[in-house]
Amino acid sequence: MAAPVRTPADTTPAAWITESDVQLDDLRAQVERDTDLADYPLADDVRGNVLVYSAESVARAVTVDRRALQSELIRALADGPGVVVFTGAFDAGVVDRASEAFFAIIEAQRARGLDAGDHFGKPGANDRIWNAAQKLALHDPAVFADYYANDTLAVVCQAWLGPRYQVTSQVNVVNPGGRAQVPHRDYHLGFVPGDHLASYPAHVHRTSPVLTLQGAVAHGDMPLDSGPTMLLPHSQRFAGGYIAFNRPEFVDYFAAHHVQLPLRKGDAVFFNPALCHGAGSNISDDVRRIANLMQISSPFGRAMEAVDRTAMVRAVYPVLRAMAAAGRPRRDLENVVVATAEGYAFPTNLDSDQPIGSLAPPSQVDIVLDALADDLAEEDLDNALRTQNERRNP
């Protein structure tokens, strides 16, 4: 008997994430498994289902076969636990010099009256340095060079993103009493409002995690009571995760099943941005938990042409107002706005354009749609655009 003919529907993944993809049992099926050290011959240990590599093992592996180590890291981040720890990855002396520079930057921010908040914490609750990589480079170029010469960082970044990755970082100091973050996935789709996520096709849900790599370098010892990052190993495998982790039953599951690993100064953790995670509560009496949080990006997420979208908005807005007054459907107006204005909130100057109370500050599309909804005059929109540009630029 001839084999049945397979149709495209049999072989192509579903085009959209639907409710059937957002089931707690499916998450359980992915995460309730053991990480087998035998599958990762270059790793030293498994702790809490997290792979651990020592600095010595990394140095030896890159000398023998750098590509073999990177291949193992790709498997670990994509299909394995989704998170790896490198013990002793950064020289303690270099870390101390960088910490000294970071605290000087924090004090300078305070002197200027700046309280840096973030997506999950109120201004003043913790200490945050946005755009810490640039600020360190300008404050102390020698420390910056010694810090980012680190080859363990390069090995894992090259493995996940290729040779021309883009480094950004934010320093976070969680003071005693600092509360835990809600569990979440990270940039890009992790910063999209929950009610928008289902509008992105399934292939975007699969693609988003390979555009960035998340990392953190411990700038001091992080015992468990200081609240090191809560992790749910293997959760990056769950197809519906971007939508699911906004829901109470998944938050509760995370609370019951996450792991935390104590870290020493100079240890580094890197994870797939689709891994569900969140900073823990600092219940210690005296530990200021300081980490350099890294977000390393693919160089390919950029348009080919440089476009002055603000000029385009100014030119088109009077026509949009006329279309609205004539009763054109809202969808027509939104289509024009999306084709005209900048629809993405990043990159921005997070010192002044902070995402307080939201995952991201408003985009230019948001500004224009709000202006249309309120029927703002052209000069009022112009003021709103100018104010936004001032917030966004260093």
Side-chain angles (χ1 to χ4, degrees):
M1 180 182 294
V5 176
R6 295 178 64 83
T7 68
D10 296 324
T11 58
T12 303
W16 304 96
I17 301 293
T18 66
E19 282 301 311
S20 65
D21 301 305
V22 192
Q23 303 297 317
L24 189 56
D25 284 344
D26 291 335
L27 173 65
R28 289 193 181 102
Q30 295 297 343
V31 305
E32 294 180 8
R33 64 181 68 206
D34 294 327
T35 303
D36 188 346
L37 185 61
D39 293 335
Y40 303 93
L42 299 176
D44 293 275
D45 198 5
V46 174
R47 302 176 192 167
N49 253 354
V50 176
L51 286 166
V52 178
Y53 296 79
S54 69
E56 295 78 13
S57 293
V58 171
R60 183 167 56 250
V62 297
T63 300
V64 174
D65 190 341
R66 187 182 187 94
R67 184 63 64 87
L69 173 60
Q70 291 178 322
S71 297
E72 183 169 302
L73 293 174
I74 291 169
R75 286 194 293 109
L77 293 170
D79 302 314
V83 53
V84 296
V85 167
F86 298 102
T87 59
F90 282 72
D91 177 80
V94 174
V95 169
D96 285 341
R97 290 165 58 207
S99 293
E100 182 179 351
F102 289 144
F103 281 118
I105 293 168
I106 288 171
E107 290 305 316
Q109 289 181 166
R110 289 177 173 174
R112 298 197 304 273
L114 300 177
D115 281 329
D118 61 29
H119 323 278
F120 303 101
K122 295 180 179 179
N126 302 317
D127 293 301
R128 167 79 72 159
I129 304 175
W130 293 111
N131 196 9
Q134 176 180 315
K135 290 174 182 175
L136 179 62
L138 298 180
H139 180 86
D140 194 328
V143 171
F144 176 90
D146 285 342
Y147 194 96
Y148 286 103
N150 187 283
D151 196 46
T152 299
L153 171 63
V155 164
V156 68
C157 291
Q158 291 164 1
W160 195 242
L161 300 166
R164 294 295 182 261
Y165 51 87
Q166 304 289 315
V167 174
T168 60
S169 79
Q170 307 88 36
V171 170
N172 201 27
V173 183
V174 180
N175 301 311
R179 298 180 63 182
Q181 292 178 332
V182 295
H184 59 283
R185 285 181 165 185
D186 248 319
Y187 194 76
H188 295 73
L189 276 189
F191 284 16
V192 170
D195 56 349
H196 292 183
L197 285 167
S199 299
Y200 287 86
H203 67 267
V204 176
H205 287 246
R206 295 191 296 270
T207 301
S208 182
V210 300
L211 295 176
T212 54
L213 177 68
Q214 303 299 127
V217 179
H219 275 239
D221 291 349
M222 294 184 183
L224 289 178
D225 64 354
S226 73
T229 302
M230 302 177 291
L231 305 160
L232 190 60
H234 300 280
S235 58
Q236 84 286 354
R237 299 162 55 98
F238 178 41
Y242 286 105
I243 296 173
F245 288 113
N246 291 297
R247 300 185 177 184
E249 66 270 28
F250 289 91
V251 173
D252 292 343
Y253 183 88
F254 179 89
H257 293 85
H258 72 264
V259 299
Q260 290 175 278
L261 300 182
L263 300 175
R264 303 294 299 272
K265 181 196 298 183
D267 291 351
V269 56
F270 292 91
F271 53 91
N272 183 317
L275 187 88
C276 190
H277 66 283
S281 294
N282 187 347
I283 61 173
S284 71
D285 294 326
D286 56 1
V287 178
R288 296 183 73 192
R289 192 182 80 236
I290 176 171
N292 186 24
L293 309 178
M294 293 188 189
Q295 185 179 83
I296 306 100
S297 297
S298 165
F300 298 137
R302 303 179 182 187
M304 182 178 291
E305 295 180 310
V307 178
D308 186 345
R309 297 201 175 277
T310 300
M312 292 171 64
V313 166
R314 287 174 174 146
V316 173
Y317 185 69
V319 178
L320 285 165
R321 289 186 72 199
M323 291 170 66
R328 288 287 290 272
R330 177 174 175 80
R331 175 165 294 182
D332 289 0
L333 300 177
E334 290 181 352
N335 290 345
V336 177
V337 172
V338 169
T340 307
E342 174 56 59
Y344 199 44
F346 302 104
T348 191
N349 178 5
L350 286 163
D351 282 317
S352 52
D353 195 27
Q354 295 185 17
I356 305 302
S358 64
L359 294 165
S363 69
Q364 193 177 68
V365 163
D366 296 322
I367 298 291
V368 178
L369 289 176
D370 287 346
L372 281 174
D374 295 335
D375 193 29
L376 292 187
E378 283 80 356
E379 56 268 26
D380 294 326
L381 173 65
D382 201 55
N383 288 334
L385 293 171
R386 185 180 304 109
T387 300
Q388 185 197 37
N389 285 335
E390 289 172 354
R391 290 196 308 268
R392 290 174 57 82
N393 292 320

